[in-house]
Amino acid sequence: MQVYVQEVRKTLSLALPMIIGQLASMAMAITDAAMVGRGVGTDALASLTFALNFVHIPYISLWGLVSACGILIAQAHGGRHYQHMALVLRHGMALSAGVATVLIGAMLLFYRVLDRLPWIPYLNQQPEVVKMAGGYLHFYSMGFIIYLMAGCFKAACESQNRPWTPLLVLGGAITLNVFLNWVFI
């Protein structure tokens, strides 16, 4: 029974900050939506959410790239192959930057033709909302590099049983996000 309690305690000490981190990630999107809706208006909020539908598809798809980095670092950490951990992190960062750069180019092209795509009217959005969504697509696509590289660092920290570091960084990012939203909105 004591072994069971120790394992549950270890699991919770790793899982709790990761759970809080996932909730904090959602908090960033919620604060963006709340501040845009309150500060700019409903058309801007509709445009933001319309654009995020297109941005989340590659975000979620590329999370697999980042999670593979975490798995490889965890294996190297378990085997005490510390040089290999650094190599995996460097390669993960380089791959993330390369993939993000290609994705930014694709999203910028998509941004330029968004309002002319033949299937967009089937989504029943007002033309003003679609036109404004392009600006949000442009803005959010620039975040792909930061998102993927930060994800590599987060995966590296969590795979070494240090989940609080990325959580603290995310807390700072949320605070900065709220401040910058307040400044620019």
Side-chain angles (χ1 to χ4, degrees):
M1 181 68 170
Q2 188 175 358
V3 173
Y4 177 74
V5 171
Q6 289 174 344
E7 288 301 316
V8 168
R9 193 174 291 147
K10 287 180 187 177
T11 301
L12 285 177
S13 71
L14 180 61
L16 186 62
M18 293 170 75
I19 292 168
I20 294 169
Q22 291 298 322
L23 293 172
S25 294
M26 289 186 267
M28 185 158 323
I30 291 169
T31 57
D32 284 345
M35 292 182 85
V36 166
R38 187 121 167 101
V40 184
T42 56
D43 284 347
L45 181 58
S47 298
L48 172 66
T49 56
F50 185 64
L52 287 178
N53 285 311
F54 296 110
V55 171
H56 279 138
I57 293 168
Y59 269 179
I60 292 168
S61 301
L62 292 173
W63 193 252
L65 175 75
V66 171
S67 64
C69 185
I71 292 167
L72 294 172
I73 290 174
Q75 289 174 341
H77 180 68
R80 300 184 194 279
H81 302 292
Y82 301 115
Q83 289 179 339
H84 188 65
M85 288 170 46
L87 183 69
V88 169
L89 182 59
R90 274 196 310 273
H91 286 177
M93 297 291 284
L95 185 60
S96 293
V99 169
T101 302
V102 170
L103 191 58
I104 287 170
M107 290 301 287
L108 291 178
L109 178 63
F110 185 69
Y111 152 70
R112 291 177 190 242
V113 299
L114 178 65
D115 57 343
R116 294 178 294 212
L117 292 172
W119 49 269
I120 289 293
Y122 294 109
L123 299 177
N124 294 326
Q125 296 296 319
Q126 297 172 356
E128 307 83 43
V129 168
V130 174
K131 199 166 234 13
M132 285 174 57
Y136 289 113
L137 275 174
H138 181 95
F139 176 75
Y140 273 99
S141 66
M142 295 301 163
F144 279 132
I145 290 178
I146 296 168
Y147 172 76
L148 289 176
M149 294 178 104
C152 281
F153 279 117
K154 179 180 184 291
C157 287
E158 290 173 351
S159 65
Q160 297 174 63
N161 295 326
R162 292 187 284 169
W164 288 102
T165 303
L167 180 60
L168 294 173
V169 170
L170 183 59
I174 291 171
T175 304
L176 181 63
N177 183 52
V178 169
F179 175 72
L180 292 174
N181 279 347
W182 176 73
V183 168
F184 291 115
I185 293 175

